Amino acid sequence: MRLRALLDTDALGLRLLGGEEELDRTVRGVMTTDLRDPSRYLAGGELVLTGLAWRRDASDTEPFVRLLASAGVAALAAGEAELGDIPDDIVEACARHRLPLFAVNERVAFATITEHVVRQVSGERAGDLAAVVDRHRRLMTSGPTGGGPDVVLDLLGTDLDLRAWVLSPAGRAIAGSSAAGPALPTAVCARLAAEHLAAARTGRRGPHRVQVDGTAYSLFPIRSSGRGSASAATAASTAALRDVRETVLSDWLLAVEADAGDWPEERLDLLQGVTQLIAVERDRRDAARTVRRRLAQEVLELVQTGAAPAEIAARLRVAAPVLLPGLGAAPHWQVVVARVEWDGGEIEGGPVAQSLLEEILVDPLSSGPEPSDRIAVAHTGDEAIALVPLPAVSAEHDGSETGLLADSLLESVRDPLSAGLDGDGRLTLGVSASVHSAEGLRGALEEARHARRVAAARPGRVCAAGHQELASHVLLLPFVPDDVRRAFTARLLDPLRDYDRRHRAELIPTLEAFLDCDGSWTRCAARLHLHVNTLRYRVGRIEQLTGRDLSRLEDKLDFFLALRMS
């Protein structure tokens, strides 16, 4: 469909503010966003709807409009509900970038425009299919929540007799139609998520058709508003592998109990449209999570910079109503650290780890999108950090009974996430012991980081370690007699120091960097600005001089402890 057709539809309440000469552009999808940088969710050709919540002042406008224009969107439609008249700086920026701009009347819901575009892009539909879309529109325009994805799935069940579920990438059931009958078993959800992630890593276009326990399922990716259309999917299938890795571990999926191989194009288009409507709910949830993430980031920055415990405690009290709604008194805490790493190191792992940790920390037996809204996770660099509140009763057990256990966190999600990471990615996770005050948070953070390094030394795509596994090593270092510490470090490190002194070989810095990079050859070589072959030569020399093997966990831990004690 053309932009001109949208403008000619009075019910959409669109008023042209600029770009009349571009009205013959083709609209291939629709996306609703208030992110300051939505570019990762754009495939080109979208009508972008925004309530302007991203705009704090005029300086925010130019970067936002430039990103949209670079992504090749068809037009921008700004709502008048919050600010009234659209600010002049937005009109001027759109004119500079030749981006058509519409104002959306405050009486018109974005969901009305979304449904209209999805219906038109999908083409003519006969009988029951058109009726389903019309009922979608009426429900999605009823308010900000629109009934959620469960209502959309109910319509698939009642109108098309399709049993369907929305699943997280870790295999947790987020929504399901009442007509779908009993909830899918946890094991089936995990299998479907694993199949979906494995297929997505190949770059194949959905839907992905699979058989689980003799039942056929078709899996449709739910990426974000505007990316579920057939044309967008075609564009996405040609995207670089890097793009797949940035999103594959955070996208929801729609699992339909049917084999879509024989479906007509009209029905496939309808299901693609349904994924867009569900993506509206996903976008709403992510927007609501922004404030909580920012508060968690502020608290963790205080912890990491060594702020006074009283300052951290005061910040937690202020943030508690948002971070930890309904908990009342200050809880006890555990810290969980996660890291996602891809071979080559060119992809930032922090945002992906943050999204995964928010999902992993939810009870795997819970359903719906809301439970993860009580998880406070921030990210810094390549790692994500979660502050996990515990009931006060856990203090009696020091977290050993009621707190989080590293292995149990990954028990239900290991297989799906391993499929998504297969070939070139790893997820490692560390869990601290519980602490009863803000004063202990810094130590808990370091403890969780040490545990994650222990996990990173193990084989496998998805690994975790807890504070219990550090009890005989890092936590007891202060109690080791000085003469024992000196003998231990001299036995391991003196041969390397002597060699460095004679040959200026920098074996000690190489060893430190290698352990800090969790044994990753590519990341360590990049950090030291060395060729990988040079790094392998140095590590081989370290092993030759010490008689140790840096591929073994025990020897890595001994070197790590020796460096800590030296």
Side-chain angles (χ1 to χ4, degrees), residues 9-241:
T9 306
D10 294 338
L12 299 183
L14 296 176
R15 180 165 51 90
L16 184 65
L17 300 181
E20 185 175 3
E21 66 282 3
E22 304 290 338
L23 290 180
D24 286 328
R25 290 187 181 186
T26 300
V27 180
R28 296 186 175 89
V30 62
M31 175 185 181
T32 300
T33 185
D34 276 311
L35 296 174
R36 298 178 68 188
D37 180 4
S39 56
R40 70 171 61 189
Y41 304 115
L42 296 169
E46 296 90 351
L47 171 67
V48 175
L49 305 172
T50 179
L52 301 179
W54 52 266
R55 182 185 180 276
R56 295 171 300 186
D57 54 48
S59 65
D60 292 329
T61 299
E62 174 64 24
F64 181 82
V65 173
R66 184 172 62 250
L67 287 168
L68 297 189
S70 299
V73 305
L76 174 65
E80 296 179 320
E82 289 293 327
L83 302 179
D85 291 339
I86 306 305
D88 291 340
D89 53 274
I90 296 179
V91 178
E92 294 165 1
C94 288
R96 283 193 300 273
H97 291 279
R98 299 180 63 84
L99 182 66
L101 174 64
F102 298 99
V104 182
N105 191 286
E106 62 181 354
R107 296 189 302 274
V108 179
F110 283 177
T112 300
I113 301 173
T114 298
E115 188 280 332
H116 180 84
V117 173
V118 169
R119 182 176 55 190
Q120 294 300 318
V121 168
S122 297
E124 292 291 334
R125 300 197 179 98
D128 58 346
L129 301 185
V132 169
V133 174
D134 187 58
R135 291 175 65 186
H136 284 170
R137 179 190 60 77
R138 294 199 301 272
L139 286 161
M140 296 297 287
T141 57
S142 63
T145 61
D150 295 277
V151 174
V152 180
L153 299 185
D154 280 343
L155 292 176
L156 288 179
T158 57
D159 286 55
L160 299 182
D161 196 26
L162 290 176
R163 289 158 44 90
W165 301 264
V166 176
L167 305 179
S168 78
R172 186 173 63 88
I174 293 171
S177 65
S178 57
L184 277 181
T186 301
V188 174
C189 291
R191 284 277 306 279
L192 291 175
E195 295 281 358
H196 166 71
L197 290 174
R201 287 302 311 276
T202 68
R204 287 192 286 119
R205 175 184 172 183
H208 309 303
R209 296 151 56 202
V210 300
Q211 288 271 343
V212 176
D213 297 336
T215 301
Y217 296 89
S218 297
L219 310 178
F220 296 78
I222 302 172
R223 296 187 178 93
S224 70
S225 301
R227 292 185 63 185
S229 65
S231 58
T234 302
S237 67
T238 61
L241 181 59

Side-chain angles (χ1 to χ4, degrees), residues 174-510:
I174 293 171
S177 65
S178 57
L184 277 181
T186 301
V188 174
C189 291
R191 284 277 306 279
L192 291 175
E195 295 281 358
H196 166 71
L197 290 174
R201 287 302 311 276
T202 68
R204 287 192 286 119
R205 175 184 172 183
H208 309 303
R209 296 151 56 202
V210 300
Q211 288 271 343
V212 176
D213 297 336
T215 301
Y217 296 89
S218 297
L219 310 178
F220 296 78
I222 302 172
R223 296 187 178 93
S224 70
S225 301
R227 292 185 63 185
S229 65
S231 58
T234 302
S237 67
T238 61
L241 181 59
R242 175 182 178 185
D243 297 329
V244 173
R245 292 185 292 177
E246 285 177 338
T247 61
V248 68
L249 295 177
S250 57
D251 289 342
W252 289 355
L253 67 137
L254 175 66
V256 180
E257 189 181 298
D259 187 341
D262 297 327
W263 283 5
E265 284 297 322
E266 291 83 2
R267 181 163 291 202
L268 285 173
D269 286 345
L270 174 65
L271 265 294
Q272 297 287 6
V274 168
T275 65
Q276 287 192 346
L277 293 173
I278 296 173
V280 172
E281 172 67 20
R282 175 68 184 270
D283 293 340
R284 182 195 66 80
R285 188 209 65 166
D286 287 344
R289 183 175 286 178
T290 301
V291 173
R292 189 170 55 259
R293 284 176 167 178
R294 186 172 67 246
L295 289 174
Q297 194 83 37
E298 292 173 0
V299 171
L300 284 166
E301 285 176 0
L302 290 176
V303 172
Q304 293 186 100
T305 56
E311 183 180 359
I312 298 173
R315 191 73 189 96
L316 281 172
R317 283 194 297 271
V318 172
V322 176
L323 287 179
L324 313 164
L327 282 182
H332 295 78
W333 304 91
Q334 278 182 284
V335 176
V336 181
V337 171
R339 190 171 186 136
V340 171
E341 298 171 291
W342 303 98
D343 289 354
E346 70 274 9
I347 296 177
E348 185 181 3
V352 179
Q354 180 182 46
S355 179
L356 273 182
L357 202 49
E358 287 169 335
E359 175 61 32
I360 290 171
L361 291 174
V362 176
D363 183 346
L365 298 180
S366 66
S367 61
E370 300 306 325
S372 58
D373 290 346
R374 292 178 179 268
I375 307 299
V377 185
H379 76 83
T380 175
D382 285 333
E383 69 179 8
I385 305 166
L387 295 176
V388 181
L390 300 174
V393 69
S394 66
E396 300 173 8
H397 308 287
D398 195 28
S400 59
E401 294 184 16
T402 58
L404 298 173
L405 297 176
D407 285 338
S408 63
L409 279 178
L410 296 183
E411 184 176 351
S412 63
V413 302
R414 193 184 304 273
D415 289 345
L417 297 184
S418 295
L421 293 159
D422 188 33
D424 57 354
R426 290 198 77 199
L427 166 66
T428 51
L429 185 147
V431 182
S432 78
S434 66
V435 295
H436 65 277
S437 68
E439 187 174 4
L441 282 177
R442 183 170 176 81
L445 175 58
E446 290 304 314
E447 185 177 62
R449 282 175 167 161
H450 287 313
R452 192 207 62 78
R453 291 191 183 101
V454 171
R458 296 171 174 167
R461 292 289 169 190
V462 180
C463 299
H467 62 93
Q468 301 93 336
E469 299 169 71
L470 303 180
S472 62
H473 299 292
V474 176
L475 297 185
L476 296 182
L477 287 182
F479 303 100
V480 178
D482 288 343
D483 56 339
V484 175
R485 292 158 65 99
R486 284 193 295 269
F488 180 74
T489 57
R491 185 168 60 253
L492 276 178
L493 301 183
D494 279 358
L496 306 182
R497 289 170 177 150
D498 291 341
Y499 191 90
D500 281 350
R501 190 163 47 248
R502 294 196 311 270
H503 301 281
R504 298 181 181 179
E506 298 187 338
L507 295 185
I508 291 289
T510 299

